[in-house]
Structures are given as C-alpha cells and as structure tokens.
C-alpha cells in the first residue's frame, strides 16, 4: 500500500496544470476552514462541503488503485461508528458522519505526490497573516477565530504546519526552520500556554534535526544551541508558574496564568466524562452523550481533549483503532529515522490533550493524513538541511 513520491519540479514559467489543480483543491479545503471560522453560516458551510466534494472527485480522478481498499475500509468503519453514535448516543449527526467518511479520501489526496508541499505552507501563512493582523488591531480583546478563544490560534497554525514538515521529512527534502519559528512567535503573542508548548516541540524538533546533521559546523551548532535556549526561556517560566499561584506581575506571564493550561475547567470536564463511563456499559462502549455533562455544557460541548472526543464520537472501538494507528505511526517514524515526522506527531498529540484539535471536526482530514502517511508514502533519504 505504497505510493511512490518521486516528483519532478517543473521549471519556472511552465505550469503543470494537473499539479496546480490538485494543489488548488487542497488549498480550497484550508480556505474553507478559515472562512467558516471567520464568518460562520450556511454559505461558508456550503463552501466547506464543496471543498470536500471537490477533493474526493480529484482523488478518484487519479485512477489509482493502490491504497484504495485501505481507505474504503477505514472510511466505512469510521462512518459506521459515527452513525451508531448518531442514533444511540447523540453526539454525532448524519452530516458529520458523512464528513468523517469523506475525510479519509481528502486525507489521501493531501498525501498525493501531485500536491505541492508548499500548499500547506501557504495555508499556514494565510492563518499567520490573519492572526498577526487581528492581534495587532485588537490585541487579545477580540478572538481571532469566531466562536473560539485564542487558544485555537495555535491549532490553526500547527495543523497545516505539521503536515508540511512531515511530508518534507518523509520525502527526504530540506527542512527549513523559519516557518516553525514564525508559528512559535505568533503562539507566544496569542497567549495560550498549551499552544506555545506545542509549538516549542515542533520548533525544537526542527532545531535538533539541524543541530545533529553531519554537515553542520561547530559554529552553526553554537548558534542553534543559543536559539534553542532563547526559545526554552518562556517554557521555563510556564513550568515554574504552573507550580506557583503568582510568579510574576509581568503581562505576558499573567496571560499564561489565565490561559491554556490553567486546568480548572478542563480537569472538571475530563473528570466528569471519566465518571460517566462507569455509569453504564453503553457509555463505556459507545460514548457518553455530552449534553448530559454539566461542565461540558458550560463550555458549549467542548471537552477540551481530542482523545476523549474520539471516544465520545466513535466509542471504544474508534478510540482503540486511533491509538493503534498512532502507535504504528510512531514506530514507523522511529524505524525509518524520520525525526521531524516524529516531532510533528508529538506536537499533534500534546496540543490535542487540552483542546479540540481532532476527533470529528473540520480539520479531521489533516489528522487522518498524519496517521495514514506511512501507508501511502515510501520514505526516501533525507537531503541537506537548510535554515
């Protein structure tokens, strides 16, 4: 179940319409997510559905049979679990179940060799510009994304970035540092502790990859070590103030004291959900109806934990299946010495611990792509790194 990824870059001035079309379809998917999060409503929702449908059509237009059987099985399995949840639990809907099934094929399109990796970089920078402009104009008084706190800034920046870096790593291409650093700075500005820590895992992984490269000089290693030290300073403050009620009166520290990993409401949500699992076998095997949990209702249905969302939406079978695929992805990354892909998986998991990053939402296709990547891409030897 492997699709080779050797691609030939076209010369400037010569447009590969096929490659452009596939990349445009994937970018439209990311644009639809941005549109829905900026102007929620039927029009932007319809745009999202059109983007998903377009992606599926283009995937099948490739006329490839390798990996199709796996996709169909995963899609039917996940969709069936979501439909069971729809009628027996109530957390899912028929529409969301359909989106879950379609997300597997959208994920496969994202891994296609015809899609330029810079598509995900473009999506990341579109979000970055949006974040920077809104923070510049309104600070943290106005959320960057409608109907969600600025804790989600890091999620919308990291999701395209982890796929971008993973594909570069697995395809043996150069790994630039600057993009991960941009994300880190914006996460620092947004004020979410969980987001900054997750971004630190990503940028730290990129720096270490560069630091350990054979061709790096001693002088470069000193520079990289200094940059890593500077990045870890805010992380050090976060860990210190997490153990103290009042560590500093500085504004940036005060923001972190109140945002991201403060834990109060999140822990209450998680505790209540775990307690509900012991109330009945139905809750344990199929998931708990989130409307019955007072703390979750208080946060408009947000469990603040992506792993629990998987259980709530697909039950114990979906929960176990997710961890099996995740474990295989970790093992594959280690066996094939793909450290950046491993760092991206860690970033994804860490960020998903405290917010809804995956588990039946609009970004599901990207997370699925991260999990099934080993089945669709043959790793190649890494090339020389770059700053």
């Amino acid at each position: 179940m492997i699709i080779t990824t050797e691609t030939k870059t076209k010369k400037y001035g010569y447009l590969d319409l096929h490659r452009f079309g596939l990349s445009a379809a994937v970018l439209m998917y990311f644009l639809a997510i941005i549109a829905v999060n900026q102007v929620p409503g039927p029009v932007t929702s319809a745009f999202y559905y059109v983007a998903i449908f377009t992606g599926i059509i283009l995937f099948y237009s490739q006329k490839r049979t390798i990996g199709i059987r796996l996709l169909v099985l995963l899609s039917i399995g996940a969709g069936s679990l979501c439909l069971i949840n729809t009628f027996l639990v109530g957390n899912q809907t028929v529409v969301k179940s359909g989106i879950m099934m379609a997300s597997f094929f959208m994920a496969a399109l994202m891994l296609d060799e015809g899609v330029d990796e810079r598509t995900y970089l473009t999506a990341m920078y579109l979000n970055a510009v949006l974040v920077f402009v809104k923070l510049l104009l309104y600070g943290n008084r106005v959320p960057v994304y409608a109907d969600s706190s600025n804790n989600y800034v890091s999620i919308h920046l990291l999701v395209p970035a982890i796929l971008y870096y993973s594909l570069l790593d697995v395809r043996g291409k150069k790994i630039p540092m600057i993009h991960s650093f941009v994300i880190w700075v914006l996460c620092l500005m947004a004020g979410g502790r969980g987001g900054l820590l997750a971004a630190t895992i990503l940028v730290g992984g990129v720096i270490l990859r560069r630091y350990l490269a054979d061709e790096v000089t001693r002088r470069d290693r000193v520079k990289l070590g200094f940059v890593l030290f500077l990045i870890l300073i805010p992380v050090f403050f976060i860990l210190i103030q997490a153990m103290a009620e009042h560590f500093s009166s500085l504004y940036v520290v005060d923001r972190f004291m109140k945002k991201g990993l403060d834990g109060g409401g999140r822990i209450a949500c998680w505790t209540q959900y775990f307690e509900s699992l012991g109330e009945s076998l139905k809750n344990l095997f199929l998931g708990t109806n989130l409307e019955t949990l007072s703390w979750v209702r208080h946060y408009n249905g947000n469990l603040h934990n992506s792993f629990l969302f998987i259980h709530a939406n697909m039950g114990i079978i979906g929960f176990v299946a997710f961890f099996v695929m995740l474990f295989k992805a970790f093992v594959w990354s280690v066996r094939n010495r793909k450290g950046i892909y491993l760092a991206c998986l860690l970033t994804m998991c860490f960020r998903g611990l405290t917010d809804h990053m995956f588990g039946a939402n609009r970004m599901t296709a990207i997370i699925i792509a991260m999990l099934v990547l080993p089945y669709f891409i043959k790793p190649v030897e890494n090339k020389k790194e770059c700053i």
Side-chain angles (χ1 to χ4, degrees), residues 70-86 92-105 310 312-315 317-319 321-322 325 359-360 364 368 371-372:
L70 173 66
L71 276 180
V72 172
L73 290 176
L74 290 174
S75 177
I76 292 176
S80 299
L81 291 173
C82 289
L83 283 174
I84 291 173
N85 185 284
T86 298
Q92 285 289 75
T93 65
V94 174
V95 173
K96 289 182 179 179
S97 299
I99 292 175
M100 171 60 76
M101 296 181 69
S103 295
F104 283 89
F105 298 95
I310 292 174
N313 291 315
M314 291 189 286
I317 296 177
F319 187 77
F322 175 86
M325 295 180 68
T364 297
I368 293 174
L371 294 178
V372 302

Side-chain angles (χ1 to χ4, degrees), residues 128-167:
V129 170
L130 178 64
V131 170
F132 181 76
V133 170
K134 283 208 166 183
L135 290 177
L136 186 66
L137 293 176
Y138 308 108
N140 283 286
R141 300 187 305 275
V142 176
V144 174
Y145 300 96
D147 300 329
S148 61
S149 71
N150 280 351
N151 288 328
Y152 281 80
V153 165
S154 58
I155 292 178
H156 289 285
L157 290 172
L158 287 170
V159 165
I162 59 176
L163 187 53
Y164 167 73
Y165 275 108
S166 295
L167 289 173

